[in-house]
Amino acid sequence: AQTVTQSQPEMSVQEAETVTLSCTYDTSENNYYLFWYKQPPSRQMILVIRQEAYKQQNATENRFSVNFQKAAKSFSLKISDSQLGDTAMYFCAFMKHEGVDYKLSFGAGTTVTVRA
Amino acid sequence: KAGVTQTPRYLIKTRGQQVTLSCSPISGHRSVSWYQQTPGQGLQFLFEYFSETQRNKGNFPGRFSGRQFSNSRSEMNVSTLELGDSALYLCASSLWMQETQYFGPGTRLLVL
């Protein structure tokens, strides 16, 4: 079974500054996907970014970027130029790429608060 | 394209009752997954359907069941509700199996 660990329960950042969320995972798989989802107070789960394990290049989506270290099984999310709308809970998630067990396995989440 | 929709958005039930939740995936998506979110257990996978077949099941009792229709819409049913079933139930759809999942707004179930 895959486990995903987010060691930071809460983080606070000033508007326009940068914050980095950490995520580590444990797997024996070689091919898999990693995701970051955000869940604002509305509780709607929104995809932030996706990374395929076979790609060495780190994924980027506008102000969101990841640092994927496959050997270290680490997948951190950097939010640049933080905005008030970024206030949310952020979940790191893992999905196998092969086989039949392709559910999303989530970490416990990190609550990010952006201060004005 | 419309997103994933879930109905109802809120439900209040009493112990022992049963409940049915509905999920309509993004148009063209054929895989639907269900997750339970609680403060204590976090996000846990319930089951996944593709082409009307349950392909994958999480570690939940048999009181939790689901199905998928030919139009890819899915329902999940919980029988003999317990207080611990109070949770946010999230549905997610993907174009195919092992593809990025997009979530609906969730159904918040409160069991009294």
Side-chain angles (χ1 to χ4, degrees), chain B residues 54-72:
Chain B
Q54 186 181 91
R55 304 283 176 167
N56 211 354
K57 189 177 191 308
N59 189 26
F60 277 82
R63 300 184 297 106
F64 291 81
S65 63
R67 59 178 175 169
Q68 186 181 34
F69 302 95
S70 58
N71 62 357
S72 294

mmCIF file with all atom_site columns, all heavy atoms in Angstrom, chain B residues 54-72:
data_model
loop_
_atom_site.group_PDB
_atom_site.id
_atom_site.type_symbol
_atom_site.label_atom_id
_atom_site.label_alt_id
_atom_site.label_comp_id
_atom_site.label_asym_id
_atom_site.label_entity_id
_atom_site.label_seq_id
_atom_site.pdbx_PDB_ins_code
_atom_site.Cartn_x
_atom_site.Cartn_y
_atom_site.Cartn_z
_atom_site.occupancy
_atom_site.B_iso_or_equiv
_atom_site.pdbx_formal_charge
_atom_site.auth_seq_id
_atom_site.auth_comp_id
_atom_site.auth_asym_id
_atom_site.auth_atom_id
_atom_site.pdbx_PDB_model_num
ATOM 1   N N   . GLN B 1 54 ? -17.687 -2.320 -11.155 1.00 0.00 ? 54 GLN B N   1
ATOM 2   C CA  . GLN B 1 54 ? -16.840 -1.898 -10.050 1.00 0.00 ? 54 GLN B CA  1
ATOM 3   C C   . GLN B 1 54 ? -15.458 -2.502 -10.263 1.00 0.00 ? 54 GLN B C   1
ATOM 4   O O   . GLN B 1 54 ? -15.274 -3.711 -10.245 1.00 0.00 ? 54 GLN B O   1
ATOM 5   C CB  . GLN B 1 54 ? -17.401 -2.359 -8.712  1.00 0.00 ? 54 GLN B CB  1
ATOM 6   C CG  . GLN B 1 54 ? -16.623 -1.805 -7.512  1.00 0.00 ? 54 GLN B CG  1
ATOM 7   C CD  . GLN B 1 54 ? -17.188 -2.300 -6.190  1.00 0.00 ? 54 GLN B CD  1
ATOM 8   O OE1 . GLN B 1 54 ? -16.783 -3.324 -5.655  1.00 0.00 ? 54 GLN B OE1 1
ATOM 9   N NE2 . GLN B 1 54 ? -18.143 -1.555 -5.671  1.00 0.00 ? 54 GLN B NE2 1
ATOM 10  N N   . ARG B 1 55 ? -14.456 -1.639 -10.436 1.00 0.00 ? 55 ARG B N   1
ATOM 11  C CA  . ARG B 1 55 ? -13.103 -2.101 -10.741 1.00 0.00 ? 55 ARG B CA  1
ATOM 12  C C   . ARG B 1 55 ? -12.230 -2.163 -9.498  1.00 0.00 ? 55 ARG B C   1
ATOM 13  O O   . ARG B 1 55 ? -11.220 -2.836 -9.470  1.00 0.00 ? 55 ARG B O   1
ATOM 14  C CB  . ARG B 1 55 ? -12.453 -1.146 -11.750 1.00 0.00 ? 55 ARG B CB  1
ATOM 15  C CG  . ARG B 1 55 ? -13.230 -0.967 -13.031 1.00 0.00 ? 55 ARG B CG  1
ATOM 16  C CD  . ARG B 1 55 ? -13.088 -2.131 -13.979 1.00 0.00 ? 55 ARG B CD  1
ATOM 17  N NE  . ARG B 1 55 ? -13.912 -1.974 -15.166 1.00 0.00 ? 55 ARG B NE  1
ATOM 18  C CZ  . ARG B 1 55 ? -13.797 -2.721 -16.253 1.00 0.00 ? 55 ARG B CZ  1
ATOM 19  N NH1 . ARG B 1 55 ? -12.881 -3.672 -16.302 1.00 0.00 ? 55 ARG B NH1 1
ATOM 20  N NH2 . ARG B 1 55 ? -14.598 -2.520 -17.281 1.00 0.00 ? 55 ARG B NH2 1
ATOM 21  N N   . ASN B 1 56 ? -12.618 -1.405 -8.490  1.00 0.00 ? 56 ASN B N   1
ATOM 22  C CA  . ASN B 1 56 ? -11.735 -1.216 -7.357  1.00 0.00 ? 56 ASN B CA  1
ATOM 23  C C   . ASN B 1 56 ? -12.599 -0.889 -6.146  1.00 0.00 ? 56 ASN B C   1
ATOM 24  O O   . ASN B 1 56 ? -13.590 -0.154 -6.270  1.00 0.00 ? 56 ASN B O   1
ATOM 25  C CB  . ASN B 1 56 ? -10.796 -0.043 -7.660  1.00 0.00 ? 56 ASN B CB  1
ATOM 26  C CG  . ASN B 1 56 ? -9.456  -0.185 -7.009  1.00 0.00 ? 56 ASN B CG  1
ATOM 27  O OD1 . ASN B 1 56 ? -9.198  -1.086 -6.242  1.00 0.00 ? 56 ASN B OD1 1
ATOM 28  N ND2 . ASN B 1 56 ? -8.570  0.737  -7.350  1.00 0.00 ? 56 ASN B ND2 1
ATOM 29  N N   . LYS B 1 57 ? -12.219 -1.424 -4.986  1.00 0.00 ? 57 LYS B N   1
ATOM 30  C CA  . LYS B 1 57 ? -13.011 -1.174 -3.790  1.00 0.00 ? 57 LYS B CA  1
ATOM 31  C C   . LYS B 1 57 ? -12.096 -0.909 -2.613  1.00 0.00 ? 57 LYS B C   1
ATOM 32  O O   . LYS B 1 57 ? -11.076 -1.587 -2.441  1.00 0.00 ? 57 LYS B O   1
ATOM 33  C CB  . LYS B 1 57 ? -13.899 -2.396 -3.490  1.00 0.00 ? 57 LYS B CB  1
ATOM 34  C CG  . LYS B 1 57 ? -14.921 -2.156 -2.399  1.00 0.00 ? 57 LYS B CG  1
ATOM 35  C CD  . LYS B 1 57 ? -15.798 -3.383 -2.215  1.00 0.00 ? 57 LYS B CD  1
ATOM 36  C CE  . LYS B 1 57 ? -17.002 -3.112 -1.320  1.00 0.00 ? 57 LYS B CE  1
ATOM 37  N NZ  . LYS B 1 57 ? -16.667 -2.511 -0.027  1.00 0.00 ? 57 LYS B NZ  1
ATOM 38  N N   . GLY B 1 58 ? -12.461 0.051  -1.804  1.00 0.00 ? 58 GLY B N   1
ATOM 39  C CA  . GLY B 1 58 ? -11.704 0.359  -0.605  1.00 0.00 ? 58 GLY B CA  1
ATOM 40  C C   . GLY B 1 58 ? -12.138 -0.515 0.552   1.00 0.00 ? 58 GLY B C   1
ATOM 41  O O   . GLY B 1 58 ? -12.968 -1.412 0.421   1.00 0.00 ? 58 GLY B O   1
ATOM 42  N N   . ASN B 1 59 ? -11.572 -0.227 1.701   1.00 0.00 ? 59 ASN B N   1
ATOM 43  C CA  . ASN B 1 59 ? -11.805 -1.044 2.883   1.00 0.00 ? 59 ASN B CA  1
ATOM 44  C C   . ASN B 1 59 ? -12.984 -0.510 3.691   1.00 0.00 ? 59 ASN B C   1
ATOM 45  O O   . ASN B 1 59 ? -12.817 0.043  4.782   1.00 0.00 ? 59 ASN B O   1
ATOM 46  C CB  . ASN B 1 59 ? -10.522 -1.077 3.734   1.00 0.00 ? 59 ASN B CB  1
ATOM 47  C CG  . ASN B 1 59 ? -10.613 -2.074 4.858   1.00 0.00 ? 59 ASN B CG  1
ATOM 48  O OD1 . ASN B 1 59 ? -11.355 -3.052 4.765   1.00 0.00 ? 59 ASN B OD1 1
ATOM 49  N ND2 . ASN B 1 59 ? -9.872  -1.836 5.914   1.00 0.00 ? 59 ASN B ND2 1
ATOM 50  N N   . PHE B 1 60 ? -14.155 -0.668 3.170   1.00 0.00 ? 60 PHE B N   1
ATOM 51  C CA  . PHE B 1 60 ? -15.378 -0.223 3.840   1.00 0.00 ? 60 PHE B CA  1
ATOM 52  C C   . PHE B 1 60 ? -16.325 -1.416 3.964   1.00 0.00 ? 60 PHE B C   1
ATOM 53  O O   . PHE B 1 60 ? -16.284 -2.343 3.157   1.00 0.00 ? 60 PHE B O   1
ATOM 54  C CB  . PHE B 1 60 ? -16.060 0.896  3.037   1.00 0.00 ? 60 PHE B CB  1
ATOM 55  C CG  . PHE B 1 60 ? -15.475 2.252  3.299   1.00 0.00 ? 60 PHE B CG  1
ATOM 56  C CD1 . PHE B 1 60 ? -14.327 2.660  2.658   1.00 0.00 ? 60 PHE B CD1 1
ATOM 57  C CD2 . PHE B 1 60 ? -16.076 3.124  4.194   1.00 0.00 ? 60 PHE B CD2 1
ATOM 58  C CE1 . PHE B 1 60 ? -13.766 3.905  2.900   1.00 0.00 ? 60 PHE B CE1 1
ATOM 59  C CE2 . PHE B 1 60 ? -15.548 4.375  4.440   1.00 0.00 ? 60 PHE B CE2 1
ATOM 60  C CZ  . PHE B 1 60 ? -14.385 4.765  3.796   1.00 0.00 ? 60 PHE B CZ  1
ATOM 61  N N   . PRO B 1 61 ? -17.192 -1.383 4.988   1.00 0.00 ? 61 PRO B N   1
ATOM 62  C CA  . PRO B 1 61 ? -18.129 -2.515 5.151   1.00 0.00 ? 61 PRO B CA  1
ATOM 63  C C   . PRO B 1 61 ? -19.122 -2.603 4.006   1.00 0.00 ? 61 PRO B C   1
ATOM 64  O O   . PRO B 1 61 ? -19.301 -1.673 3.230   1.00 0.00 ? 61 PRO B O   1
ATOM 65  C CB  . PRO B 1 61 ? -18.838 -2.197 6.478   1.00 0.00 ? 61 PRO B CB  1
ATOM 66  C CG  . PRO B 1 61 ? -18.633 -0.740 6.692   1.00 0.00 ? 61 PRO B CG  1
ATOM 67  C CD  . PRO B 1 61 ? -17.325 -0.379 6.061   1.00 0.00 ? 61 PRO B CD  1
ATOM 68  N N   . GLY B 1 62 ? -19.778 -3.747 3.943   1.00 0.00 ? 62 GLY B N   1
ATOM 69  C CA  . GLY B 1 62 ? -20.723 -4.011 2.864   1.00 0.00 ? 62 GLY B CA  1
ATOM 70  C C   . GLY B 1 62 ? -21.935 -3.097 2.862   1.00 0.00 ? 62 GLY B C   1
ATOM 71  O O   . GLY B 1 62 ? -22.689 -3.081 1.876   1.00 0.00 ? 62 GLY B O   1
ATOM 72  N N   . ARG B 1 63 ? -22.115 -2.315 3.934   1.00 0.00 ? 63 ARG B N   1
ATOM 73  C CA  . ARG B 1 63 ? -23.225 -1.364 3.958   1.00 0.00 ? 63 ARG B CA  1
ATOM 74  C C   . ARG B 1 63 ? -23.051 -0.286 2.893   1.00 0.00 ? 63 ARG B C   1
ATOM 75  O O   . ARG B 1 63 ? -24.003 0.387  2.507   1.00 0.00 ? 63 ARG B O   1
ATOM 76  C CB  . ARG B 1 63 ? -23.314 -0.673 5.323   1.00 0.00 ? 63 ARG B CB  1
ATOM 77  C CG  . ARG B 1 63 ? -23.525 -1.608 6.487   1.00 0.00 ? 63 ARG B CG  1
ATOM 78  C CD  . ARG B 1 63 ? -23.703 -0.837 7.790   1.00 0.00 ? 63 ARG B CD  1
ATOM 79  N NE  . ARG B 1 63 ? -22.530 -0.051 8.174   1.00 0.00 ? 63 ARG B NE  1
ATOM 80  C CZ  . ARG B 1 63 ? -22.448 1.267  8.077   1.00 0.00 ? 63 ARG B CZ  1
ATOM 81  N NH1 . ARG B 1 63 ? -23.474 1.973  7.609   1.00 0.00 ? 63 ARG B NH1 1
ATOM 82  N NH2 . ARG B 1 63 ? -21.357 1.896  8.475   1.00 0.00 ? 63 ARG B NH2 1
ATOM 83  N N   . PHE B 1 64 ? -21.830 -0.125 2.451   1.00 0.00 ? 64 PHE B N   1
ATOM 84  C CA  . PHE B 1 64 ? -21.526 0.852  1.410   1.00 0.00 ? 64 PHE B CA  1
ATOM 85  C C   . PHE B 1 64 ? -21.517 0.136  0.059   1.00 0.00 ? 64 PHE B C   1
ATOM 86  O O   . PHE B 1 64 ? -20.764 -0.830 -0.139  1.00 0.00 ? 64 PHE B O   1
ATOM 87  C CB  . PHE B 1 64 ? -20.162 1.494  1.655   1.00 0.00 ? 64 PHE B CB  1
ATOM 88  C CG  . PHE B 1 64 ? -20.114 2.387  2.850   1.00 0.00 ? 64 PHE B CG  1
ATOM 89  C CD1 . PHE B 1 64 ? -19.951 1.855  4.124   1.00 0.00 ? 64 PHE B CD1 1
ATOM 90  C CD2 . PHE B 1 64 ? -20.237 3.759  2.718   1.00 0.00 ? 64 PHE B CD2 1
ATOM 91  C CE1 . PHE B 1 64 ? -19.909 2.674  5.245   1.00 0.00 ? 64 PHE B CE1 1
ATOM 92  C CE2 . PHE B 1 64 ? -20.190 4.590  3.828   1.00 0.00 ? 64 PHE B CE2 1
ATOM 93  C CZ  . PHE B 1 64 ? -20.031 4.050  5.099   1.00 0.00 ? 64 PHE B CZ  1
ATOM 94  N N   . SER B 1 65 ? -22.347 0.589  -0.830  1.00 0.00 ? 65 SER B N   1
ATOM 95  C CA  . SER B 1 65 ? -22.408 -0.028 -2.156  1.00 0.00 ? 65 SER B CA  1
ATOM 96  C C   . SER B 1 65 ? -22.611 1.059  -3.196  1.00 0.00 ? 65 SER B C   1
ATOM 97  O O   . SER B 1 65 ? -22.925 2.208  -2.867  1.00 0.00 ? 65 SER B O   1
ATOM 98  C CB  . SER B 1 65 ? -23.540 -1.045 -2.228  1.00 0.00 ? 65 SER B CB  1
ATOM 99  O OG  . SER B 1 65 ? -24.789 -0.398 -2.038  1.00 0.00 ? 65 SER B OG  1
ATOM 100 N N   . GLY B 1 66 ? -22.423 0.684  -4.431  1.00 0.00 ? 66 GLY B N   1
ATOM 101 C CA  . GLY B 1 66 ? -22.601 1.662  -5.495  1.00 0.00 ? 66 GLY B CA  1
ATOM 102 C C   . GLY B 1 66 ? -22.944 0.991  -6.793  1.00 0.00 ? 66 GLY B C   1
ATOM 103 O O   . GLY B 1 66 ? -23.006 -0.250 -6.889  1.00 0.00 ? 66 GLY B O   1
ATOM 104 N N   . ARG B 1 67 ? -23.189 1.814  -7.776  1.00 0.00 ? 67 ARG B N   1
ATOM 105 C CA  . ARG B 1 67 ? -23.414 1.301  -9.117  1.00 0.00 ? 67 ARG B CA  1
ATOM 106 C C   . ARG B 1 67 ? -23.177 2.430  -10.113 1.00 0.00 ? 67 ARG B C   1
ATOM 107 O O   . ARG B 1 67 ? -23.148 3.605  -9.752  1.00 0.00 ? 67 ARG B O   1
ATOM 108 C CB  . ARG B 1 67 ? -24.813 0.733  -9.273  1.00 0.00 ? 67 ARG B CB  1
ATOM 109 C CG  . ARG B 1 67 ? -25.946 1.716  -9.006  1.00 0.00 ? 67 ARG B CG  1
ATOM 110 C CD  . ARG B 1 67 ? -27.286 1.042  -9.238  1.00 0.00 ? 67 ARG B CD  1
ATOM 111 N NE  . ARG B 1 67 ? -28.412 1.908  -8.881  1.00 0.00 ? 67 ARG B NE  1
ATOM 112 C CZ  . ARG B 1 67 ? -29.676 1.630  -9.184  1.00 0.00 ? 67 ARG B CZ  1
ATOM 113 N NH1 . ARG B 1 67 ? -29.970 0.526  -9.849  1.00 0.00 ? 67 ARG B NH1 1
ATOM 114 N NH2 . ARG B 1 67 ? -30.647 2.441  -8.828  1.00 0.00 ? 67 ARG B NH2 1
ATOM 115 N N   . GLN B 1 68 ? -23.018 2.021  -11.351 1.00 0.00 ? 68 GLN B N   1
ATOM 116 C CA  . GLN B 1 68 ? -22.848 2.996  -12.419 1.00 0.00 ? 68 GLN B CA  1
ATOM 117 C C   . GLN B 1 68 ? -23.795 2.637  -13.560 1.00 0.00 ? 68 GLN B C   1
ATOM 118 O O   . GLN B 1 68 ? -23.951 1.458  -13.897 1.00 0.00 ? 68 GLN B O   1
ATOM 119 C CB  . GLN B 1 68 ? -21.396 3.021  -12.921 1.00 0.00 ? 68 GLN B CB  1
ATOM 120 C CG  . GLN B 1 68 ? -21.136 4.128  -13.943 1.00 0.00 ? 68 GLN B CG  1
ATOM 121 C CD  . GLN B 1 68 ? -19.706 4.123  -14.454 1.00 0.00 ? 68 GLN B CD  1
ATOM 122 O OE1 . GLN B 1 68 ? -19.092 3.071  -14.586 1.00 0.00 ? 68 GLN B OE1 1
ATOM 123 N NE2 . GLN B 1 68 ? -19.177 5.307  -14.746 1.00 0.00 ? 68 GLN B NE2 1
ATOM 124 N N   . PHE B 1 69 ? -24.366 3.655  -14.131 1.00 0.00 ? 69 PHE B N   1
ATOM 125 C CA  . PHE B 1 69 ? -25.316 3.442  -15.211 1.00 0.00 ? 69 PHE B CA  1
ATOM 126 C C   . PHE B 1 69 ? -24.635 3.586  -16.575 1.00 0.00 ? 69 PHE B C   1
ATOM 127 O O   . PHE B 1 69 ? -23.479 4.029  -16.659 1.00 0.00 ? 69 PHE B O   1
ATOM 128 C CB  . PHE B 1 69 ? -26.468 4.446  -15.072 1.00 0.00 ? 69 PHE B CB  1
ATOM 129 C CG  . PHE B 1 69 ? -27.190 4.334  -13.746 1.00 0.00 ? 69 PHE B CG  1
ATOM 130 C CD1 . PHE B 1 69 ? -26.836 5.147  -12.676 1.00 0.00 ? 69 PHE B CD1 1
ATOM 131 C CD2 . PHE B 1 69 ? -28.200 3.396  -13.553 1.00 0.00 ? 69 PHE B CD2 1
ATOM 132 C CE1 . PHE B 1 69 ? -27.480 5.044  -11.447 1.00 0.00 ? 69 PHE B CE1 1
ATOM 133 C CE2 . PHE B 1 69 ? -28.843 3.286  -12.337 1.00 0.00 ? 69 PHE B CE2 1
ATOM 134 C CZ  . PHE B 1 69 ? -28.478 4.104  -11.279 1.00 0.00 ? 69 PHE B CZ  1
ATOM 135 N N   . SER B 1 70 ? -25.385 3.250  -17.622 1.00 0.00 ? 70 SER B N   1
ATOM 136 C CA  . SER B 1 70 ? -24.804 3.255  -18.966 1.00 0.00 ? 70 SER B CA  1
ATOM 137 C C   . SER B 1 70 ? -24.384 4.651  -19.407 1.00 0.00 ? 70 SER B C   1
ATOM 138 O O   . SER B 1 70 ? -23.529 4.810  -20.281 1.00 0.00 ? 70 SER B O   1
ATOM 139 C CB  . SER B 1 70 ? -25.789 2.653  -19.974 1.00 0.00 ? 70 SER B CB  1
ATOM 140 O OG  . SER B 1 70 ? -27.006 3.379  -19.974 1.00 0.00 ? 70 SER B OG  1
ATOM 141 N N   . ASN B 1 71 ? -24.957 5.682  -18.805 1.00 0.00 ? 71 ASN B N   1
ATOM 142 C CA  . ASN B 1 71 ? -24.565 7.064  -19.160 1.00 0.00 ? 71 ASN B CA  1
ATOM 143 C C   . ASN B 1 71 ? -23.428 7.560  -18.258 1.00 0.00 ? 71 ASN B C   1
ATOM 144 O O   . ASN B 1 71 ? -23.131 8.750  -18.249 1.00 0.00 ? 71 ASN B O   1
ATOM 145 C CB  . ASN B 1 71 ? -25.763 8.004  -19.068 1.00 0.00 ? 71 ASN B CB  1
ATOM 146 C CG  . ASN B 1 71 ? -26.337 8.079  -17.662 1.00 0.00 ? 71 ASN B CG  1
ATOM 147 O OD1 . ASN B 1 71 ? -25.881 7.392  -16.751 1.00 0.00 ? 71 ASN B OD1 1
ATOM 148 N ND2 . ASN B 1 71 ? -27.356 8.914  -17.487 1.00 0.00 ? 71 ASN B ND2 1
ATOM 149 N N   . SER B 1 72 ? -22.826 6.650  -17.511 1.00 0.00 ? 72 SER B N   1
ATOM 150 C CA  . SER B 1 72 ? -21.693 6.903  -16.603 1.00 0.00 ? 72 SER B CA  1
ATOM 151 C C   . SER B 1 72 ? -22.090 7.553  -15.286 1.00 0.00 ? 72 SER B C   1
ATOM 152 O O   . SER B 1 72 ? -21.232 7.668  -14.401 1.00 0.00 ? 72 SER B O   1
ATOM 153 C CB  . SER B 1 72 ? -20.586 7.735  -17.275 1.00 0.00 ? 72 SER B CB  1
ATOM 154 O OG  . SER B 1 72 ? -20.006 7.006  -18.322 1.00 0.00 ? 72 SER B OG  1
#
